[in-house]
Amino acid sequence: MSSYQFELAFRQYIAAFDGTNDLSPAEFKSLFDNVHHKDLNYLPRDEKVIGGDGMMHLKAVTPVTREEIYQLHSKHYASGQKVTLIHFRKIGLDCVDIKVRLVNGKEETTVRVANTLSNSQVVLSREIDESFPLKVLEAKCTNVVYKWKEVGTYQTIM
């Protein structure tokens, strides 16, 4: 049920990115809060680096906090960025794969993110590099590990 509630909140959130900037800062913050958990961690794509041996290596990038994401999204909203949903797929237990198109002026890019949900909000986002097909599977496995940790924090009667 939480992925359905999240999908509704997410679709309302990206609908705000229509290039018109007609929401007040308080309304935008409310939409942001409905989608993003207070403990959100965003894991950007690993950087591709050419090593001294001429081989391509992946360099891990530090996670981005919820406040940094809010500042970035606020800046994009204020600049009139348009966001279009390409796909929204449930890929696991409280895990959704989302791909969006971002258009700001003449610049256009796509972003694909695997999101782990908790209480109908994103608690862990992992940006997926589509040039490596197994990255979706890796994100799905990370989701399962997170959910097992989450389930383990609550006492059960057995």
Side-chain angles (χ1 to χ4, degrees):
M1 187 62 151
S2 69
S3 63
Y4 173 72
Q5 292 169 341
F6 170 73
E7 183 176 1
L8 293 175
F10 181 75
R11 287 180 184 274
Q12 289 174 344
Y13 182 66
I14 64 168
F17 288 90
D18 60 0
T20 61
N21 300 345
D22 59 350
L23 294 176
S24 71
E27 290 172 319
F28 181 77
K29 177 77 167 141
S30 175
L31 288 174
F32 181 85
D33 290 341
N34 290 340
V35 173
H36 300 91
H37 194 274
K38 64 180 177 60
D39 297 327
L40 171 70
N41 275 317
Y42 182 85
L43 305 170
R45 266 192 287 205
D46 294 335
E47 262 182 67
K48 294 178 187 173
V49 179
I50 304 296
D53 56 0
M55 299 292 291
M56 182 176 69
H57 302 280
L58 295 177
K59 178 182 171 190
V61 181
T62 58
V64 180
T65 65
R66 182 182 195 272
E67 188 57 35
E68 292 169 326
I69 291 291
Y70 177 71
Q71 295 299 325
L72 180 66
H73 287 195
S74 296
K75 186 177 89 174
H76 289 310
Y77 177 74
S79 70
Q81 186 173 61
K82 295 180 182 180
V83 179
T84 307
L85 182 63
I86 296 174
H87 75 241
F88 185 102
R89 298 181 183 138
K90 186 169 181 171
I91 60 172
L93 178 65
D94 284 337
C95 186
V96 291
D97 173 16
I98 298 173
K99 185 173 181 179
V100 293
R101 177 179 296 113
L102 310 171
V103 178
N104 198 356
K106 293 185 179 182
E107 294 180 36
E108 182 177 321
T109 187
T110 59
V111 177
R112 186 172 180 187
V113 181
N115 297 288
T116 300
L117 307 179
S118 179
N119 297 327
S120 302
Q121 295 176 312
V122 175
V123 71
L124 178 64
S125 284
R126 178 182 295 271
E127 190 172 351
I128 297 174
D129 184 355
E130 294 185 284
S131 61
F132 296 105
L134 293 178
K135 287 294 184 178
V136 174
L137 181 61
E138 177 187 337
K140 187 175 178 179
C141 291
T142 302
N143 168 64
V144 170
V145 170
Y146 178 85
K147 291 313 272 185
W148 273 109
K149 287 180 184 176
E150 185 179 55
V151 167
T153 61
Y154 300 107
Q155 300 297 322
T156 59
I157 300 172
M158 295 200 148

PDB file of all heavy atoms in Angstrom, residues 118-156:
ATOM      1  N   SER A 118       9.880   3.903   2.934  1.00  0.00           N
ATOM      2  CA  SER A 118       9.545   3.627   4.322  1.00  0.00           C
ATOM      3  C   SER A 118       8.453   4.617   4.701  1.00  0.00           C
ATOM      4  O   SER A 118       8.628   5.830   4.522  1.00  0.00           O
ATOM      5  CB  SER A 118      10.775   3.815   5.213  1.00  0.00           C
ATOM      6  OG  SER A 118      10.445   3.573   6.565  1.00  0.00           O
ATOM      7  N   ASN A 119       7.333   4.119   5.167  1.00  0.00           N
ATOM      8  CA  ASN A 119       6.188   4.977   5.512  1.00  0.00           C
ATOM      9  C   ASN A 119       5.745   5.832   4.322  1.00  0.00           C
ATOM     10  O   ASN A 119       5.467   7.024   4.467  1.00  0.00           O
ATOM     11  CB  ASN A 119       6.497   5.864   6.711  1.00  0.00           C
ATOM     12  CG  ASN A 119       6.764   5.064   7.955  1.00  0.00           C
ATOM     13  OD1 ASN A 119       6.184   3.997   8.148  1.00  0.00           O
ATOM     14  ND2 ASN A 119       7.660   5.554   8.793  1.00  0.00           N
ATOM     15  N   SER A 120       5.714   5.257   3.142  1.00  0.00           N
ATOM     16  CA  SER A 120       5.272   5.916   1.901  1.00  0.00           C
ATOM     17  C   SER A 120       6.144   7.103   1.502  1.00  0.00           C
ATOM     18  O   SER A 120       5.690   8.013   0.815  1.00  0.00           O
ATOM     19  CB  SER A 120       3.818   6.365   2.019  1.00  0.00           C
ATOM     20  OG  SER A 120       2.988   5.279   2.302  1.00  0.00           O
ATOM     21  N   GLN A 121       7.395   7.099   1.926  1.00  0.00           N
ATOM     22  CA  GLN A 121       8.342   8.151   1.549  1.00  0.00           C
ATOM     23  C   GLN A 121       9.673   7.514   1.156  1.00  0.00           C
ATOM     24  O   GLN A 121      10.023   6.430   1.626  1.00  0.00           O
ATOM     25  CB  GLN A 121       8.573   9.117   2.716  1.00  0.00           C
ATOM     26  CG  GLN A 121       7.354   9.914   3.110  1.00  0.00           C
ATOM     27  CD  GLN A 121       7.625  10.769   4.338  1.00  0.00           C
ATOM     28  OE1 GLN A 121       8.164  10.291   5.326  1.00  0.00           O
ATOM     29  NE2 GLN A 121       7.242  12.028   4.258  1.00  0.00           N
ATOM     30  N   VAL A 122      10.442   8.226   0.338  1.00  0.00           N
ATOM     31  CA  VAL A 122      11.756   7.736  -0.073  1.00  0.00           C
ATOM     32  C   VAL A 122      12.724   7.899   1.093  1.00  0.00           C
ATOM     33  O   VAL A 122      12.882   8.990   1.622  1.00  0.00           O
ATOM     34  CB  VAL A 122      12.294   8.528  -1.284  1.00  0.00           C
ATOM     35  CG1 VAL A 122      13.701   8.094  -1.619  1.00  0.00           C
ATOM     36  CG2 VAL A 122      11.401   8.377  -2.478  1.00  0.00           C
ATOM     37  N   VAL A 123      13.355   6.804   1.471  1.00  0.00           N
ATOM     38  CA  VAL A 123      14.349   6.859   2.539  1.00  0.00           C
ATOM     39  C   VAL A 123      15.754   6.617   1.989  1.00  0.00           C
ATOM     40  O   VAL A 123      16.733   7.078   2.540  1.00  0.00           O
ATOM     41  CB  VAL A 123      14.008   5.886   3.686  1.00  0.00           C
ATOM     42  CG1 VAL A 123      14.204   4.449   3.262  1.00  0.00           C
ATOM     43  CG2 VAL A 123      14.789   6.196   4.934  1.00  0.00           C
ATOM     44  N   LEU A 124      15.844   5.910   0.857  1.00  0.00           N
ATOM     45  CA  LEU A 124      17.126   5.638   0.220  1.00  0.00           C
ATOM     46  C   LEU A 124      16.940   5.699  -1.288  1.00  0.00           C
ATOM     47  O   LEU A 124      16.105   4.988  -1.840  1.00  0.00           O
ATOM     48  CB  LEU A 124      17.642   4.250   0.636  1.00  0.00           C
ATOM     49  CG  LEU A 124      18.955   3.785   0.025  1.00  0.00           C
ATOM     50  CD1 LEU A 124      20.102   4.683   0.473  1.00  0.00           C
ATOM     51  CD2 LEU A 124      19.237   2.345   0.406  1.00  0.00           C
ATOM     52  N   SER A 125      17.709   6.568  -1.929  1.00  0.00           N
ATOM     53  CA  SER A 125      17.670   6.682  -3.389  1.00  0.00           C
ATOM     54  C   SER A 125      19.049   6.365  -3.936  1.00  0.00           C
ATOM     55  O   SER A 125      20.048   6.886  -3.448  1.00  0.00           O
ATOM     56  CB  SER A 125      17.298   8.111  -3.825  1.00  0.00           C
ATOM     57  OG  SER A 125      15.943   8.343  -3.653  1.00  0.00           O
ATOM     58  N   ARG A 126      19.072   5.528  -4.953  1.00  0.00           N
ATOM     59  CA  ARG A 126      20.333   5.174  -5.600  1.00  0.00           C
ATOM     60  C   ARG A 126      20.193   5.485  -7.086  1.00  0.00           C
ATOM     61  O   ARG A 126      19.377   4.887  -7.785  1.00  0.00           O
ATOM     62  CB  ARG A 126      20.649   3.700  -5.399  1.00  0.00           C
ATOM     63  CG  ARG A 126      21.912   3.241  -6.083  1.00  0.00           C
ATOM     64  CD  ARG A 126      22.149   1.769  -5.889  1.00  0.00           C
ATOM     65  NE  ARG A 126      22.393   1.427  -4.504  1.00  0.00           N
ATOM     66  CZ  ARG A 126      23.611   1.425  -3.946  1.00  0.00           C
ATOM     67  NH1 ARG A 126      24.657   1.753  -4.654  1.00  0.00           N
ATOM     68  NH2 ARG A 126      23.753   1.078  -2.687  1.00  0.00           N
ATOM     69  N   GLU A 127      21.001   6.448  -7.562  1.00  0.00           N
ATOM     70  CA  GLU A 127      20.987   6.794  -8.985  1.00  0.00           C
ATOM     71  C   GLU A 127      21.624   5.648  -9.757  1.00  0.00           C
ATOM     72  O   GLU A 127      22.652   5.102  -9.359  1.00  0.00           O
ATOM     73  CB  GLU A 127      21.750   8.089  -9.228  1.00  0.00           C
ATOM     74  CG  GLU A 127      21.580   8.620 -10.620  1.00  0.00           C
ATOM     75  CD  GLU A 127      22.189  10.003 -10.806  1.00  0.00           C
ATOM     76  OE1 GLU A 127      22.603  10.633  -9.827  1.00  0.00           O
ATOM     77  OE2 GLU A 127      22.237  10.432 -11.968  1.00  0.00           O
ATOM     78  N   ILE A 128      20.988   5.281 -10.864  1.00  0.00           N
ATOM     79  CA  ILE A 128      21.414   4.116 -11.631  1.00  0.00           C
ATOM     80  C   ILE A 128      22.095   4.553 -12.918  1.00  0.00           C
ATOM     81  O   ILE A 128      21.569   5.370 -13.673  1.00  0.00           O
ATOM     82  CB  ILE A 128      20.207   3.215 -11.953  1.00  0.00           C
ATOM     83  CG1 ILE A 128      19.615   2.683 -10.653  1.00  0.00           C
ATOM     84  CG2 ILE A 128      20.602   2.083 -12.876  1.00  0.00           C
ATOM     85  CD1 ILE A 128      18.345   1.919 -10.836  1.00  0.00           C
ATOM     86  N   ASP A 129      23.261   3.987 -13.154  1.00  0.00           N
ATOM     87  CA  ASP A 129      23.987   4.195 -14.398  1.00  0.00           C
ATOM     88  C   ASP A 129      23.483   3.144 -15.379  1.00  0.00           C
ATOM     89  O   ASP A 129      23.747   1.950 -15.203  1.00  0.00           O
ATOM     90  CB  ASP A 129      25.486   4.053 -14.162  1.00  0.00           C
ATOM     91  CG  ASP A 129      26.310   4.344 -15.397  1.00  0.00           C
ATOM     92  OD1 ASP A 129      25.732   4.562 -16.483  1.00  0.00           O
ATOM     93  OD2 ASP A 129      27.545   4.349 -15.286  1.00  0.00           O
ATOM     94  N   GLU A 130      22.746   3.564 -16.384  1.00  0.00           N
ATOM     95  CA  GLU A 130      22.113   2.615 -17.310  1.00  0.00           C
ATOM     96  C   GLU A 130      23.090   1.915 -18.242  1.00  0.00           C
ATOM     97  O   GLU A 130      22.715   0.975 -18.925  1.00  0.00           O
ATOM     98  CB  GLU A 130      21.020   3.322 -18.109  1.00  0.00           C
ATOM     99  CG  GLU A 130      19.870   3.757 -17.227  1.00  0.00           C
ATOM    100  CD  GLU A 130      18.725   4.339 -18.003  1.00  0.00           C
ATOM    101  OE1 GLU A 130      18.840   5.496 -18.444  1.00  0.00           O
ATOM    102  OE2 GLU A 130      17.722   3.616 -18.165  1.00  0.00           O
ATOM    103  N   SER A 131      24.347   2.345 -18.260  1.00  0.00           N
ATOM    104  CA  SER A 131      25.317   1.652 -19.103  1.00  0.00           C
ATOM    105  C   SER A 131      25.754   0.321 -18.473  1.00  0.00           C
ATOM    106  O   SER A 131      26.389  -0.492 -19.121  1.00  0.00           O
ATOM    107  CB  SER A 131      26.537   2.544 -19.359  1.00  0.00           C
ATOM    108  OG  SER A 131      27.190   2.864 -18.158  1.00  0.00           O
ATOM    109  N   PHE A 132      25.413   0.125 -17.183  1.00  0.00           N
ATOM    110  CA  PHE A 132      25.681  -1.135 -16.490  1.00  0.00           C
ATOM    111  C   PHE A 132      24.345  -1.773 -16.124  1.00  0.00           C
ATOM    112  O   PHE A 132      23.725  -1.386 -15.140  1.00  0.00           O
ATOM    113  CB  PHE A 132      26.508  -0.905 -15.217  1.00  0.00           C
ATOM    114  CG  PHE A 132      27.876  -0.355 -15.477  1.00  0.00           C
ATOM    115  CD1 PHE A 132      28.159   0.976 -15.224  1.00  0.00           C
ATOM    116  CD2 PHE A 132      28.885  -1.162 -15.986  1.00  0.00           C
ATOM    117  CE1 PHE A 132      29.412   1.497 -15.461  1.00  0.00           C
ATOM    118  CE2 PHE A 132      30.150  -0.645 -16.224  1.00  0.00           C
ATOM    119  CZ  PHE A 132      30.418   0.682 -15.970  1.00  0.00           C
ATOM    120  N   PRO A 133      23.866  -2.759 -16.889  1.00  0.00           N
ATOM    121  CA  PRO A 133      22.538  -3.343 -16.653  1.00  0.00           C
ATOM    122  C   PRO A 133      22.349  -3.941 -15.265  1.00  0.00           C
ATOM    123  O   PRO A 133      21.253  -3.963 -14.745  1.00  0.00           O
ATOM    124  CB  PRO A 133      22.418  -4.433 -17.724  1.00  0.00           C
ATOM    125  CG  PRO A 133      23.463  -4.141 -18.727  1.00  0.00           C
ATOM    126  CD  PRO A 133      24.529  -3.352 -18.043  1.00  0.00           C
ATOM    127  N   LEU A 134      23.390  -4.410 -14.628  1.00  0.00           N
ATOM    128  CA  LEU A 134      23.254  -5.048 -13.320  1.00  0.00           C
ATOM    129  C   LEU A 134      23.064  -4.046 -12.184  1.00  0.00           C
ATOM    130  O   LEU A 134      22.812  -4.438 -11.053  1.00  0.00           O
ATOM    131  CB  LEU A 134      24.460  -5.939 -13.040  1.00  0.00           C
ATOM    132  CG  LEU A 134      24.588  -7.159 -13.945  1.00  0.00           C
ATOM    133  CD1 LEU A 134      25.854  -7.946 -13.616  1.00  0.00           C
ATOM    134  CD2 LEU A 134      23.368  -8.054 -13.840  1.00  0.00           C
ATOM    135  N   LYS A 135      23.165  -2.755 -12.454  1.00  0.00           N
ATOM    136  CA  LYS A 135      23.002  -1.747 -11.409  1.00  0.00           C
ATOM    137  C   LYS A 135      21.584  -1.758 -10.835  1.00  0.00           C
ATOM    138  O   LYS A 135      21.389  -1.458  -9.666  1.00  0.00           O
ATOM    139  CB  LYS A 135      23.356  -0.350 -11.926  1.00  0.00           C
ATOM    140  CG  LYS A 135      24.837  -0.124 -12.117  1.00  0.00           C
ATOM    141  CD  LYS A 135      25.547  -0.145 -10.785  1.00  0.00           C
ATOM    142  CE  LYS A 135      27.008   0.170 -10.922  1.00  0.00           C
ATOM    143  NZ  LYS A 135      27.698   0.209  -9.641  1.00  0.00           N
ATOM    144  N   VAL A 136      20.581  -2.091 -11.640  1.00  0.00           N
ATOM    145  CA  VAL A 136      19.207  -2.172 -11.126  1.00  0.00           C
ATOM    146  C   VAL A 136      19.113  -3.331 -10.134  1.00  0.00           C
ATOM    147  O   VAL A 136      18.523  -3.195  -9.067  1.00  0.00           O
ATOM    148  CB  VAL A 136      18.179  -2.356 -12.266  1.00  0.00           C
ATOM    149  CG1 VAL A 136      16.788  -2.576 -11.707  1.00  0.00           C
ATOM    150  CG2 VAL A 136      18.196  -1.157 -13.186  1.00  0.00           C
ATOM    151  N   LEU A 137      19.727  -4.457 -10.468  1.00  0.00           N
ATOM    152  CA  LEU A 137      19.735  -5.606  -9.566  1.00  0.00           C
ATOM    153  C   LEU A 137      20.471  -5.271  -8.266  1.00  0.00           C
ATOM    154  O   LEU A 137      20.026  -5.618  -7.180  1.00  0.00           O
ATOM    155  CB  LEU A 137      20.376  -6.810 -10.250  1.00  0.00           C
ATOM    156  CG  LEU A 137      20.424  -8.095  -9.442  1.00  0.00           C
ATOM    157  CD1 LEU A 137      19.017  -8.561  -9.077  1.00  0.00           C
ATOM    158  CD2 LEU A 137      21.155  -9.174 -10.223  1.00  0.00           C
ATOM    159  N   GLU A 138      21.582  -4.560  -8.376  1.00  0.00           N
ATOM    160  CA  GLU A 138      22.333  -4.149  -7.181  1.00  0.00           C
ATOM    161  C   GLU A 138      21.480  -3.252  -6.285  1.00  0.00           C
ATOM    162  O   GLU A 138      21.437  -3.425  -5.072  1.00  0.00           O
ATOM    163  CB  GLU A 138      23.606  -3.410  -7.594  1.00  0.00           C
ATOM    164  CG  GLU A 138      24.406  -2.876  -6.427  1.00  0.00           C
ATOM    165  CD  GLU A 138      25.565  -2.001  -6.877  1.00  0.00           C
ATOM    166  OE1 GLU A 138      26.019  -2.129  -8.029  1.00  0.00           O
ATOM    167  OE2 GLU A 138      26.005  -1.173  -6.065  1.00  0.00           O
ATOM    168  N   ALA A 139      20.763  -2.316  -6.894  1.00  0.00           N
ATOM    169  CA  ALA A 139      19.894  -1.421  -6.131  1.00  0.00           C
ATOM    170  C   ALA A 139      18.765  -2.199  -5.468  1.00  0.00           C
ATOM    171  O   ALA A 139      18.377  -1.920  -4.331  1.00  0.00           O
ATOM    172  CB  ALA A 139      19.338  -0.327  -7.032  1.00  0.00           C
ATOM    173  N   LYS A 140      18.236  -3.189  -6.169  1.00  0.00           N
ATOM    174  CA  LYS A 140      17.163  -4.016  -5.615  1.00  0.00           C
ATOM    175  C   LYS A 140      17.671  -4.814  -4.413  1.00  0.00           C
ATOM    176  O   LYS A 140      16.989  -4.937  -3.400  1.00  0.00           O
ATOM    177  CB  LYS A 140      16.618  -4.943  -6.695  1.00  0.00           C
ATOM    178  CG  LYS A 140      15.408  -5.733  -6.284  1.00  0.00           C
ATOM    179  CD  LYS A 140      14.869  -6.534  -7.459  1.00  0.00           C
ATOM    180  CE  LYS A 140      13.680  -7.366  -7.043  1.00  0.00           C
ATOM    181  NZ  LYS A 140      13.135  -8.128  -8.155  1.00  0.00           N
ATOM    182  N   CYS A 141      18.890  -5.339  -4.500  1.00  0.00           N
ATOM    183  CA  CYS A 141      19.472  -6.082  -3.383  1.00  0.00           C
ATOM    184  C   CYS A 141      19.729  -5.157  -2.192  1.00  0.00           C
ATOM    185  O   CYS A 141      19.502  -5.542  -1.043  1.00  0.00           O
ATOM    186  CB  CYS A 141      20.772  -6.757  -3.806  1.00  0.00           C
ATOM    187  SG  CYS A 141      20.514  -8.111  -4.962  1.00  0.00           S
ATOM    188  N   THR A 142      20.179  -3.944  -2.447  1.00  0.00           N
ATOM    189  CA  THR A 142      20.375  -2.966  -1.378  1.00  0.00           C
ATOM    190  C   THR A 142      19.057  -2.689  -0.684  1.00  0.00           C
ATOM    191  O   THR A 142      18.995  -2.562   0.539  1.00  0.00           O
ATOM    192  CB  THR A 142      20.951  -1.656  -1.951  1.00  0.00           C
ATOM    193  OG1 THR A 142      22.172  -1.948  -2.616  1.00  0.00           O
ATOM    194  CG2 THR A 142      21.186  -0.631  -0.865  1.00  0.00           C
ATOM    195  N   ASN A 143      17.968  -2.637  -1.453  1.00  0.00           N
ATOM    196  CA  ASN A 143      16.643  -2.424  -0.886  1.00  0.00           C
ATOM    197  C   ASN A 143      16.258  -3.564   0.047  1.00  0.00           C
ATOM    198  O   ASN A 143      15.746  -3.339   1.141  1.00  0.00           O
ATOM    199  CB  ASN A 143      15.612  -2.290  -2.008  1.00  0.00           C
ATOM    200  CG  ASN A 143      14.194  -2.347  -1.502  1.00  0.00           C
ATOM    201  OD1 ASN A 143      13.764  -1.494  -0.753  1.00  0.00           O
ATOM    202  ND2 ASN A 143      13.471  -3.371  -1.891  1.00  0.00           N
ATOM    203  N   VAL A 144      16.515  -4.793  -0.361  1.00  0.00           N
ATOM    204  CA  VAL A 144      16.159  -5.945   0.465  1.00  0.00           C
ATOM    205  C   VAL A 144      16.929  -5.908   1.786  1.00  0.00           C
ATOM    206  O   VAL A 144      16.363  -6.135   2.852  1.00  0.00           O
ATOM    207  CB  VAL A 144      16.416  -7.271  -0.290  1.00  0.00           C
ATOM    208  CG1 VAL A 144      16.291  -8.467   0.626  1.00  0.00           C
ATOM    209  CG2 VAL A 144      15.468  -7.391  -1.471  1.00  0.00           C
ATOM    210  N   VAL A 145      18.212  -5.589   1.725  1.00  0.00           N
ATOM    211  CA  VAL A 145      19.020  -5.499   2.943  1.00  0.00           C
ATOM    212  C   VAL A 145      18.465  -4.414   3.858  1.00  0.00           C
ATOM    213  O   VAL A 145      18.319  -4.611   5.063  1.00  0.00           O
ATOM    214  CB  VAL A 145      20.507  -5.230   2.599  1.00  0.00           C
ATOM    215  CG1 VAL A 145      21.303  -4.888   3.846  1.00  0.00           C
ATOM    216  CG2 VAL A 145      21.099  -6.422   1.882  1.00  0.00           C
ATOM    217  N   TYR A 146      18.128  -3.255   3.292  1.00  0.00           N
ATOM    218  CA  TYR A 146      17.576  -2.161   4.103  1.00  0.00           C
ATOM    219  C   TYR A 146      16.261  -2.594   4.758  1.00  0.00           C
ATOM    220  O   TYR A 146      16.030  -2.331   5.935  1.00  0.00           O
ATOM    221  CB  TYR A 146      17.348  -0.908   3.251  1.00  0.00           C
ATOM    222  CG  TYR A 146      16.741   0.205   4.063  1.00  0.00           C
ATOM    223  CD1 TYR A 146      17.559   1.042   4.803  1.00  0.00           C
ATOM    224  CD2 TYR A 146      15.369   0.389   4.132  1.00  0.00           C
ATOM    225  CE1 TYR A 146      17.017   2.047   5.583  1.00  0.00           C
ATOM    226  CE2 TYR A 146      14.811   1.385   4.912  1.00  0.00           C
ATOM    227  CZ  TYR A 146      15.651   2.218   5.627  1.00  0.00           C
ATOM    228  OH  TYR A 146      15.096   3.203   6.403  1.00  0.00           O
ATOM    229  N   LYS A 147      15.383  -3.234   3.997  1.00  0.00           N
ATOM    230  CA  LYS A 147      14.088  -3.642   4.548  1.00  0.00           C
ATOM    231  C   LYS A 147      14.261  -4.682   5.662  1.00  0.00           C
ATOM    232  O   LYS A 147      13.534  -4.655   6.647  1.00  0.00           O
ATOM    233  CB  LYS A 147      13.166  -4.186   3.446  1.00  0.00           C
ATOM    234  CG  LYS A 147      12.686  -3.141   2.450  1.00  0.00           C
ATOM    235  CD  LYS A 147      12.188  -1.880   3.088  1.00  0.00           C
ATOM    236  CE  LYS A 147      10.757  -1.885   3.444  1.00  0.00           C
ATOM    237  NZ  LYS A 147      10.277  -0.593   3.953  1.00  0.00           N
ATOM    238  N   TRP A 148      15.245  -5.598   5.537  1.00  0.00           N
ATOM    239  CA  TRP A 148      15.488  -6.564   6.609  1.00  0.00           C
ATOM    240  C   TRP A 148      15.951  -5.853   7.868  1.00  0.00           C
ATOM    241  O   TRP A 148      15.548  -6.202   8.977  1.00  0.00           O
ATOM    242  CB  TRP A 148      16.503  -7.619   6.180  1.00  0.00           C
ATOM    243  CG  TRP A 148      15.848  -8.758   5.483  1.00  0.00           C
ATOM    244  CD1 TRP A 148      15.935  -9.057   4.162  1.00  0.00           C
ATOM    245  CD2 TRP A 148      14.971  -9.734   6.054  1.00  0.00           C
ATOM    246  NE1 TRP A 148      15.170 -10.151   3.865  1.00  0.00           N
ATOM    247  CE2 TRP A 148      14.569 -10.598   5.011  1.00  0.00           C
ATOM    248  CE3 TRP A 148      14.475  -9.964   7.327  1.00  0.00           C
ATOM    249  CZ2 TRP A 148      13.720 -11.669   5.205  1.00  0.00           C
ATOM    250  CZ3 TRP A 148      13.625 -11.037   7.528  1.00  0.00           C
ATOM    251  CH2 TRP A 148      13.265 -11.874   6.481  1.00  0.00           C
ATOM    252  N   LYS A 149      16.810  -4.834   7.710  1.00  0.00           N
ATOM    253  CA  LYS A 149      17.247  -4.054   8.873  1.00  0.00           C
ATOM    254  C   LYS A 149      16.058  -3.338   9.494  1.00  0.00           C
ATOM    255  O   LYS A 149      15.934  -3.273  10.709  1.00  0.00           O
ATOM    256  CB  LYS A 149      18.308  -3.033   8.468  1.00  0.00           C
ATOM    257  CG  LYS A 149      19.646  -3.639   8.169  1.00  0.00           C
ATOM    258  CD  LYS A 149      20.626  -2.561   7.775  1.00  0.00           C
ATOM    259  CE  LYS A 149      21.958  -3.124   7.359  1.00  0.00           C
ATOM    260  NZ  LYS A 149      22.868  -2.070   6.899  1.00  0.00           N
ATOM    261  N   GLU A 150      15.182  -2.767   8.645  1.00  0.00           N
ATOM    262  CA  GLU A 150      14.014  -2.047   9.140  1.00  0.00           C
ATOM    263  C   GLU A 150      13.070  -2.986   9.887  1.00  0.00           C
ATOM    264  O   GLU A 150      12.584  -2.654  10.964  1.00  0.00           O
ATOM    265  CB  GLU A 150      13.279  -1.373   7.971  1.00  0.00           C
ATOM    266  CG  GLU A 150      12.118  -0.508   8.397  1.00  0.00           C
ATOM    267  CD  GLU A 150      11.439   0.162   7.223  1.00  0.00           C
ATOM    268  OE1 GLU A 150      11.033  -0.548   6.285  1.00  0.00           O
ATOM    269  OE2 GLU A 150      11.316   1.393   7.249  1.00  0.00           O
ATOM    270  N   VAL A 151      12.819  -4.163   9.341  1.00  0.00           N
ATOM    271  CA  VAL A 151      11.938  -5.133   9.993  1.00  0.00           C
ATOM    272  C   VAL A 151      12.556  -5.578  11.317  1.00  0.00           C
ATOM    273  O   VAL A 151      11.855  -5.738  12.313  1.00  0.00           O
ATOM    274  CB  VAL A 151      11.676  -6.345   9.062  1.00  0.00           C
ATOM    275  CG1 VAL A 151      11.037  -7.492   9.817  1.00  0.00           C
ATOM    276  CG2 VAL A 151      10.806  -5.915   7.893  1.00  0.00           C
ATOM    277  N   GLY A 152      13.864  -5.727  11.369  1.00  0.00           N
ATOM    278  CA  GLY A 152      14.537  -6.161  12.577  1.00  0.00           C
ATOM    279  C   GLY A 152      14.491  -5.155  13.714  1.00  0.00           C
ATOM    280  O   GLY A 152      14.720  -5.510  14.869  1.00  0.00           O
ATOM    281  N   THR A 153      14.190  -3.902  13.413  1.00  0.00           N
ATOM    282  CA  THR A 153      14.145  -2.888  14.471  1.00  0.00           C
ATOM    283  C   THR A 153      12.826  -2.911  15.243  1.00  0.00           C
ATOM    284  O   THR A 153      12.741  -2.290  16.300  1.00  0.00           O
ATOM    285  CB  THR A 153      14.346  -1.465  13.900  1.00  0.00           C
ATOM    286  OG1 THR A 153      13.291  -1.181  12.983  1.00  0.00           O
ATOM    287  CG2 THR A 153      15.690  -1.336  13.217  1.00  0.00           C
ATOM    288  N   TYR A 154      11.829  -3.583  14.704  1.00  0.00           N
ATOM    289  CA  TYR A 154      10.535  -3.648  15.387  1.00  0.00           C
ATOM    290  C   TYR A 154      10.390  -4.997  16.069  1.00  0.00           C
ATOM    291  O   TYR A 154      10.717  -6.027  15.504  1.00  0.00           O
ATOM    292  CB  TYR A 154       9.394  -3.437  14.385  1.00  0.00           C
ATOM    293  CG  TYR A 154       9.460  -2.105  13.688  1.00  0.00           C
ATOM    294  CD1 TYR A 154       9.842  -2.030  12.357  1.00  0.00           C
ATOM    295  CD2 TYR A 154       9.182  -0.931  14.360  1.00  0.00           C
ATOM    296  CE1 TYR A 154       9.927  -0.809  11.703  1.00  0.00           C
ATOM    297  CE2 TYR A 154       9.263   0.292  13.727  1.00  0.00           C
ATOM    298  CZ  TYR A 154       9.631   0.348  12.419  1.00  0.00           C
ATOM    299  OH  TYR A 154       9.729   1.554  11.784  1.00  0.00           O
ATOM    300  N   GLN A 155       9.898  -4.977  17.281  1.00  0.00           N
ATOM    301  CA  GLN A 155       9.688  -6.215  18.021  1.00  0.00           C
ATOM    302  C   GLN A 155       8.481  -6.946  17.470  1.00  0.00           C
ATOM    303  O   GLN A 155       7.492  -6.323  17.114  1.00  0.00           O
ATOM    304  CB  GLN A 155       9.476  -5.914  19.507  1.00  0.00           C
ATOM    305  CG  GLN A 155      10.656  -5.214  20.142  1.00  0.00           C
ATOM    306  CD  GLN A 155      11.915  -6.069  20.129  1.00  0.00           C
ATOM    307  OE1 GLN A 155      11.821  -7.269  20.313  1.00  0.00           O
ATOM    308  NE2 GLN A 155      13.053  -5.464  19.889  1.00  0.00           N
ATOM    309  N   THR A 156       8.569  -8.248  17.411  1.00  0.00           N
ATOM    310  CA  THR A 156       7.436  -9.044  16.940  1.00  0.00           C
ATOM    311  C   THR A 156       7.024 -10.021  18.017  1.00  0.00           C
ATOM    312  O   THR A 156       7.830 -10.415  18.871  1.00  0.00           O
ATOM    313  CB  THR A 156       7.786  -9.828  15.662  1.00  0.00           C
ATOM    314  OG1 THR A 156       8.889 -10.684  15.957  1.00  0.00           O
ATOM    315  CG2 THR A 156       8.136  -8.897  14.519  1.00  0.00           C
TER     316      THR A 156
END
